[in-house]
Amino acid sequence: MKESESIQEKKVNGNSIFQIKEKIYEMILYGSPKLQGFPKCERYALAADIRKSMYTALELAVRLEKKYHKKTTLQDLDIEIDVLRNLLRLAKDPNLYPKQKPCLSFHTWKVWIRKVDEIGRMIGGYMEWVNSREKQK
């Protein structure tokens, strides 16, 4: 009983942010090597934007962990994850360069987007918790 209470406590007292930060870190470790395989014409544009978006998400997660008022930073993180999702979608689109293979293979994109979606779900859950706390006040 105490073990399940401590698990709930971790989710409620803000430690789930640490989990969000760890998931973003894992996503960066997965995605960064994949960016090396981008065609030369996109390595310094689309790949750089994806890398920057992942690093910005990590920075926002760190800020979120340290802040007392979390709502705006949480919204910024949610927006950044959506930007990343759309950049990845663009990277796997075969219509970006019709005569070349896409920057990301479908399998790589699928694994990567699962990680992004998991982070998005965690952010959504945390947003609900923050909003419910505001309503209680």
Side-chain angles (χ1 to χ4, degrees), residues 19-132:
Q19 292 173 0
I20 291 171
K21 185 174 68 174
E22 286 302 309
K23 290 293 181 180
I24 292 171
Y25 187 85
E26 290 171 15
M27 177 191 60
I28 291 171
L29 290 179
Y30 174 80
S32 287
K34 307 299 183 199
L35 297 175
Q36 299 295 325
F38 273 49
K40 196 171 189 174
C41 63
E42 286 297 348
R43 202 169 297 148
Y44 302 105
L46 183 57
D49 287 345
I50 291 170
R51 182 177 290 110
K52 181 177 178 254
S53 184
M54 290 191 303
Y55 291 165
T56 301
L58 182 62
E59 178 187 342
L60 287 167
V62 170
R63 289 180 186 278
L64 191 59
E65 185 178 27
K66 301 296 181 185
K67 280 189 162 185
Y68 178 76
H69 297 288
K70 300 177 183 299
K71 193 170 184 177
T72 55
T73 309
L74 196 53
Q75 289 170 337
D76 291 343
L77 179 56
D78 189 41
I79 290 167
E80 195 62 45
I81 291 298
D82 199 39
V83 167
L84 178 59
R85 185 179 287 117
N86 282 285
L87 288 171
L88 291 173
R89 179 178 166 220
L90 184 62
K92 70 103 178 149
D93 195 328
N95 295 322
L96 183 60
Y97 295 105
K99 296 182 184 203
Q100 295 178 356
K101 66 179 187 167
C103 299
L104 288 176
S105 70
F106 183 75
H107 174 74
T108 301
W109 171 80
K110 196 169 149 184
V111 172
W112 202 339
I113 211 70
R114 276 191 201 142
K115 293 176 182 299
V116 172
D117 287 344
E118 182 181 10
I119 293 164
R121 283 191 300 276
M122 292 171 82
I123 292 168
Y126 198 71
M127 280 179 141
E128 286 179 15
W129 181 77
V130 167
N131 290 334
S132 71

